Amino acid sequence: MGEIELAVRFIRATPTLDFLHVYSQPLLPMMHHVKPLGMVQQDSLRIAAVKIVASHLTRSEPPLRREVVTYMLDVDSHSFSMRKVRANWFRIINVIAGVIDTVKCVDDTRGWKNPTATLLVHALLVMLVWFPDLIIPTFAFYVFVIGVWNYRFRSRDTLPHFDPKISLAESLDRDELDEEFDALPCTRPNELVRARYDKLRMLRARVQTILGDFATQGERVQALVTWCDSRATGIFIGLCFVVAFILYLVPSKMVSMAFGFYYLRHPIFRDRMPSPALNFFRRLPSLSDRML
């Protein structure tokens, strides 16, 4: 119901070299990097700054409500929101989509889905093994090709803006929206709070399972040399000694070539059962069996 004042600032064109030099400069002042503030201090300063800005804008003409100021300053960025959890999960999936596509491409090549591409990979392997100086230039050129290929998919927007699709605002549940804007302490009925708590417990159970799996794999890696399983550690260090002895005698190029051709062998020469190395790793002990 009020007026909106817009301030537009015109600046002169910056030379290209000076503009590129800006990318190498730090985003924050020097003292922030020399003596950085802790998280508690940053939160307290942020809250104090928001209060000052909100109190100043509420006295302006026309006045701006405190809720609008806190929303624009993103004060509740650290508060829990099921919508933000799902949105961040999809962001992670989008980030690792390239890695997933690469792994799928490697599996297709290894499975001889396209024999021509697999033969080209064999030729590339031979070239990189016998000329290891070309590994870094080849990788850099591959990244360059990916960047040029993605140029036609670049965003046409010059300024960033809110994206309802990324924020999952279009498919938001009414209960999740009410939970996100609910104050602390909660003012909703006990039955609704209990339903939200049960839903949160299900989410935390999934996170707990994922963290437990990561901890188990890390403990199995540690168990290779900590003698938690004397037989497994003995086998592992014996294999390490044999590998070291072979690598001292056989040129590394021949070993890399043999490993590459063995990895890319045709599926008719493979066993459908898990590899012995994977079976050995899965039998290593972890602390998950000792937890209550």
Side-chain angles (χ1 to χ4, degrees):
M1 300 299 294
E3 298 178 356
I4 298 179
E5 297 181 2
L6 298 179
V8 181
R9 182 178 62 177
F10 295 94
I11 59 175
R12 63 183 180 86
T14 306
T16 304
L17 294 179
D18 295 340
F19 188 76
L20 294 178
H21 179 68
V22 174
Y23 280 87
S24 64
Q25 299 302 310
L27 295 174
L28 299 174
M30 182 183 64
M31 290 303 298
H32 180 81
H33 301 280
V34 176
K35 294 182 179 180
L37 298 175
M39 294 300 298
V40 178
Q41 295 175 328
Q42 293 182 19
D43 292 337
S44 60
L45 290 176
R46 184 180 294 108
I47 294 174
V50 169
K51 290 181 179 179
I52 294 174
V53 174
S55 61
H56 175 71
L57 293 179
T58 52
R59 296 192 303 266
S60 63
E61 185 62 34
L64 197 62
R65 293 179 61 88
R66 181 181 297 271
E67 291 81 1
V68 178
V69 178
T70 55
Y71 177 78
M72 295 301 297
L73 295 179
D74 203 10
V75 177
D76 58 346
S77 59
H78 301 291
S79 61
F80 177 80
S81 172
M82 188 64 68
R83 175 187 61 84
K84 293 181 180 179
V85 171
R86 292 191 290 112
N88 290 330
W89 171 255
F90 287 120
R91 288 172 59 195
I92 295 175
I93 295 300
N94 189 26
V95 169
I96 65 176
V99 180
I100 296 176
D101 293 340
T102 303
V103 173
K104 184 179 179 181
C105 182
V106 172
D107 290 338
D108 292 342
T109 303
R110 188 168 176 252
W112 290 74
K113 297 294 182 63
N114 188 354
T116 304
T118 304
L119 294 177
L120 290 177
V121 171
H122 280 81
L124 180 63
L125 175 65
V126 173
M127 183 187 70
L128 295 180
V129 168
W130 288 100
F131 302 99
D133 296 339
L134 298 178
I135 295 178
I136 296 180
T138 303
F139 177 76
F141 181 75
Y142 179 71
V143 174
F144 167 77
V145 171
I146 293 177
V148 173
W149 178 263
N150 292 331
Y151 178 77
R152 59 177 181 173
F153 304 109
R154 69 189 186 281
S155 177
R156 303 292 181 176
D157 299 327
T158 57
L159 295 176
H161 58 279
F162 293 105
D163 192 344
K165 185 176 180 180
I166 297 178
S167 304
L168 299 180
E170 299 176 350
S171 59
L172 185 63
D173 189 9
R174 185 179 297 274
D175 182 65
E176 294 180 358
L177 183 64
D178 182 73
E179 180 184 9
E180 184 174 349
F181 288 95
D182 192 10
L184 288 176
C186 184
T187 58
R188 297 298 182 266
N190 295 333
E191 293 78 9
L192 183 58
V193 176
R194 181 175 299 178
R196 293 176 181 175
Y197 178 71
D198 293 339
K199 187 176 181 180
L200 183 60
R201 288 181 61 186
M202 295 174 60
L203 178 63
R204 290 186 296 183
R206 296 179 184 177
V207 176
Q208 173 183 307
T209 303
I210 295 175
L211 293 178
D213 292 339
F214 275 110
T216 299
Q217 305 306 325
E219 289 165 355
R220 286 175 177 172
V221 173
Q222 291 181 343
L224 290 172
V225 292
T226 54
W227 295 92
C228 295
D229 187 344
S230 58
R231 296 185 183 89
T233 304
I235 294 173
F236 177 73
I237 62 176
L239 289 176
C240 289
F241 177 77
V242 172
V243 170
F245 184 76
I246 293 176
L247 292 179
Y248 274 122
L249 298 179
V250 182
S252 59
K253 294 182 179 180
M254 300 299 297
V255 175
S256 301
M257 188 79 66
F259 177 78
F261 278 92
Y262 176 78
Y263 182 77
L264 296 173
R265 67 189 184 279
H266 200 274
I268 62 177
F269 300 108
R270 300 179 194 164
D271 189 5
R272 294 184 178 181
M273 299 299 293
S275 63
L278 184 60
N279 296 329
F280 176 78
F281 183 77
R282 289 176 176 175
R283 289 180 179 273
L284 292 172
S286 64
L287 298 180
S288 59
D289 299 332
R290 304 182 186 180
M291 294 185 61
L292 295 177

